[in-house]
Structures are given as structure tokens and as C-alpha cells.
Amino acid sequence: MAQQAYMTETDSGGSGPERRGNRFRRLLERLVTGWRGDPRIWRRGIVTAVVAVLLALVMLLHAQIPNAIGNLGSLTETFLPWLGLFVPLLVLIAVVRKSATALIAVVLPAGVWLNLFGGLLTDKTSAGGDLTVATHNVNAENPDPSGTARDVAASGADVVALQELTATAVPVYEKALASTYKYHSVQGTVGLWSKYPLTGVRAVDIKLGWTRAMRAAVTTPSGQVAVYVAHLPSVRVKMEAGFTARQRDKSANALGEAIADEKLPRSVLLGDLNGTMNDRALNAVTSQMRSTQGAAGSGFGFSWPASFPMARIDQILVKGIEPVTSWTLPETGSDHFPVAARVKVDTTAS
């Protein structure tokens, strides 16, 4: 009987949250005790601290990194958010090395990253709006263009822009979207489908020698909006040449000039810009327009590659229009995710 009572008490006291809490406290005490009274905590981890400071400087001064050598500045800016992954790694190294110097130094890159991208971690979406737009690089080698068209139309977008259209696939997209969108125009390899009338449709010269950009005025119930669709040239990362983007940069400047010359006060740019909002090479465009994802999205909204999204190169930018919400649509047969946004065209309404 006594033996049974002893076993019951031992079992009760040796399980449950209380014992797990005791283990955690003992582990924490060992960690603190291991650091207490150790004068080497300030001398260890100097290399880790230096790396942390350099990481902070790269993020803080990314605009000063020159593009003269392999467009290194643009390459850094394209993947700038991912530099934040080094912060927890440096924290881990500092803890393992028991280095107070390194831990303090890691605060620098952590603070810089939060200053640059912390706002993207919050949900800025809201209700309302009077126009929904979507854009998608459908991929010239898309095995299911009809299914991709239906997927994008299912987003409920009033206006849809498609890029990388091939001559053989255009009829498929036209047929699949005909029942939802009464108006459409295809210029070269880009196209625009709309529930509202299109006027002033024309190709936009972005200095390529063939058409990969267009402009149309969409007559929405809240007024006319100039809608630009663009697919800027691709960039490549080559060992011998670095980040090759000269043609993309030239086309971005031409597109920026066209948007700056727009007579309508409200504009939307939909397309694959092959660059992020951080990339200085797109300043001709991004300096005069707002990103719906940055203004009214939740998270980074990475759109490419679909298999493992690492960058948002598919953009919805607006001028004279208020973004309300922005999001990424589900994967289709393309190597890009489609992206969508709801905006307020009539900014005078409450």
C-alpha cells in the first residue's frame, strides 16, 4: 500500500507543465550562470560582430553600392529582404560563442531590416474600393492557358492584364475570357481584358524593336483610368557578367517617360517589370507611382518563381488612385503567381 502511494506521488509530481517549467528555468539558469563572471564574453565573437556591422551597412547603404560592376547594386536590391535571414543566424552564433559583443552588434542589422521592411509585415488591407485589377505573366510555355485564364478571371477582377502571350495562345485566352470580359486588346505579347470600354488603345514603345507594352483608357463607373501593361526585358545573373540588366533599364526609362506624359490624372501600371520596388534601375517608373502591395498589402507578396517565390517582380502601381487592398492569387500553370489589387478610383468619395 505504501509502495503504491509512493509511485502515485512520484508520477503526479514528475509530469505536466510544472515540471517542464522547472526544466526550462534550470536551463535558463545554466545559460545565465555560464555567462556570469566570464570576462571573455566581451572579447569573444569579434568576427561575428564585424559581420553584423557590415550586414547593417549593406542594408542601410544599399543605394550606394555601385552598378558599374555587374549591376551589383541592383542585384543586392532585388533580394534585399532576404538579407534579414542572416540576423537569426548571427544571433545563434553569438549565443553559442557566448559573446555579448556579438549579441549587441546584431541589434544593428536587426534594427535596419525592421526599419526597411517592418511595415510590410503588418496587414494594411482594408475594405471598399471601386475597381479590382489583376496582372499575370502567363508564361509562353504554359501547358494550360485556358485553365490559367479561368483562374485569373475567377479573382473577380474588373481589368486583367496578361504578359508573355504567344500568337498560338492568344485565341485560347480570348475564348476563355470572352464571357467575363466584353472588351479586350492584344498588342504584341501583352494584352488587356476589361469589363468596361477601352479607348485610346495603342502600343507603347519601350525601345525593344517589338511590342511588349501598351496603353488604354478604361472607362470605369468612377471615371477614366489610363491603364498601362508592360513586360520589361528579362535580367540574367551570369558569372562572367554579373547582373545583366542594361536592356531592362533602358526599357524602364522609356516606360517611365510614357507614364510621365500621360494626360489622364489617374493611372495604373500592370505588368512584369523584372525588378522589385527596391531596384534603383526602375526609378523612372517607381518614383512617380505607388505600389499597391506596399501601400495596402499584407506581407511581401513575392510572385516569382512560383516554385519558391523570392521576389516581387510582378507589380501593380498606381498614380492618382488610392490602393485599398493587394494580394497574390493562387498558382496557375505559369512560373509566376498572378497578383491583384482593389483600388479606389473616385478618391473624392468618402
Side-chain angles (χ1 to χ4, degrees):
M1 192 70 176
Q3 183 180 9
Q4 183 179 0
Y6 173 78
M7 292 176 63
T8 303
E9 182 180 352
T10 303
D11 182 67
S12 175
S15 61
E18 184 176 352
R19 184 168 181 182
R20 287 194 295 269
N22 290 337
R23 285 180 176 176
F24 177 76
R25 282 194 294 273
R26 286 198 297 269
L27 181 62
L28 189 60
E29 288 172 359
R30 287 178 187 174
L31 181 62
V32 173
T33 302
W35 289 52
R36 187 184 299 146
D38 184 357
R40 292 179 301 170
I41 62 173
W42 300 106
R43 296 197 295 266
R44 284 193 296 258
I46 299 300
V47 173
T48 303
V50 170
V51 171
V53 172
L54 290 176
L55 178 62
L57 290 175
V58 168
M59 291 191 288
L60 185 64
L61 304 175
H62 63 86
Q64 308 306 316
I65 300 175
N67 262 341
I69 303 174
N71 278 311
L72 184 60
S74 287
L75 177 61
T76 302
E77 289 165 338
T78 297
F79 301 103
L80 195 60
W82 291 94
L83 293 182
L85 291 179
F86 289 103
V87 172
L89 177 62
L90 291 173
V91 170
L92 179 61
I93 294 173
V95 171
V96 171
R97 293 279 293 146
K98 295 182 179 179
S99 169
T101 301
L103 274 178
I104 294 172
V106 173
V107 173
L108 290 175
V112 173
W113 190 93
L114 286 173
N115 181 61
L116 290 173
F117 303 110
L120 293 175
L121 301 180
T122 60
D123 187 351
K124 298 178 290 297
T125 62
S126 58
D130 48 22
L131 182 71
T132 301
V133 297
T135 182
H136 191 23
N137 179 328
V138 296
N139 188 0
E141 300 177 359
N142 192 317
D144 184 20
S146 181
T148 295
R150 289 193 299 270
D151 289 343
V152 176
S155 68
D158 302 305
V159 177
V160 170
L162 302 181
Q163 305 89 49
E164 214 164 293
L165 297 170
T166 63
T168 55
V170 166
V172 179
Y173 287 107
E174 289 176 330
K175 181 179 179 180
L177 296 171
S179 61
T180 306
Y181 302 98
K182 184 177 179 180
Y183 309 94
H184 88 279
S185 175
V186 175
Q187 303 286 323
T189 61
V190 298
L192 185 66
W193 278 258
S194 173
K195 295 179 180 179
Y196 308 122
L198 302 177
T199 58
V201 179
R202 58 178 172 80
V204 175
D205 182 13
I206 56 173
K207 312 302 181 184
L208 281 175
W210 68 96
T211 302
R212 281 176 47 150
M214 64 175 288
R215 177 264 187 200
V218 179
T219 306
T220 78
S222 300
Q224 277 199 322
V225 178
V227 177
Y228 287 80
V229 184
H231 182 194
L232 297 187
S234 300
V235 297
R236 298 286 185 268
V237 180
K238 300 178 180 179
M239 292 299 295
E240 70 280 6
F243 194 59
T244 58
R246 183 173 301 175
Q247 186 58 64
R248 190 276 312 265
D249 300 349
K250 181 180 177 181
S251 292
N253 290 336
L255 179 61
E257 291 176 6
I259 294 172
D261 292 338
E262 176 57 51
K263 298 299 186 289
L264 291 177
R266 295 172 291 200
S267 303
V268 176
L269 171 59
L270 307 169
D272 174 5
L273 303 189
N274 270 306
T276 68
M277 292 297 291
N278 297 313
D279 191 339
R280 77 193 69 170
L282 301 184
N283 279 351
V285 174
T286 57
S287 63
Q288 56 180 318
M289 306 189 85
R290 299 173 68 193
S291 163
T292 59
Q293 184 66 25
S298 177
F300 291 94
F302 293 148
S303 64
W304 177 88
S307 56
F308 183 70
M310 296 185 66
R312 184 180 176 89
I313 63 175
D314 300 277
Q315 306 288 358
I316 300 177
L317 308 180
V318 298
K319 180 167 68 172
I321 290 173
E322 188 65 28
V324 173
T325 185
S326 185
W327 68 99
T328 302
L329 296 171
E331 185 176 1
T332 69
S334 173
D335 57 340
H336 292 243
F337 280 115
V339 296
R342 187 156 180 81
V343 300
K344 183 186 292 186
V345 175
D346 184 5
T347 56
T348 62
S350 58

